[in-house]
Amino acid sequence: MSPPAISIVMPVFNAGGTIAEAIESCLGQTWSSFELIVMLDGCTDASGQIARSFDDSRIRVLEREHRGVTESAAEAISCLLYTSPSPRDRG
């Protein structure tokens, strides 16, 4: 399996009312080579249950205690399946 061409990071805090629509929007894109990392940031609502209800191998749902959107996004980025070299690393 080749690495995904695009990585989507979705930090989530108590977004039970909108998370399904957000995930469906990602799944509905014409480009199919992507990974979606849903980072549950200490959710106390149904966000996790909703995110896990999607049966798609491109979606990974991760959980952590609540620390805010910036730290959640940074942690999700550290979990990407593939990262391309930065322009500085290309020599």
Side-chain angles (χ1 to χ4, degrees):
M1 182 171 143
S2 61
I6 297 170
S7 297
I8 304 166
V9 171
M10 184 182 295
V12 175
F13 178 69
N14 292 346
T18 57
I19 191 169
E21 183 179 359
I23 293 172
E24 288 165 0
S25 176
C26 294
L27 296 175
Q29 300 302 308
T30 55
W31 192 275
S32 62
S33 177
F34 68 85
E35 65 177 323
L36 169 60
I37 298 179
V38 178
M39 179 60 79
L40 302 171
D41 184 34
C43 295
T44 58
D45 67 353
S47 296
Q49 182 180 9
I50 295 166
R52 288 185 187 90
S53 72
F54 288 86
D55 185 25
D56 192 303
S57 63
R58 298 171 294 178
I59 301 172
R60 286 191 292 154
V61 180
L62 307 175
E63 224 170 323
R64 55 176 275 145
E65 62 184 53
H66 183 60
R67 284 184 280 195
V69 67
T70 302
E71 285 190 36
S72 292
E75 187 172 333
I77 289 168
S78 74
C79 297
L80 299 178
L81 292 176
Y82 175 76
T83 56
S84 63
S86 74
R88 293 181 298 221
D89 297 334
R90 293 184 193 150

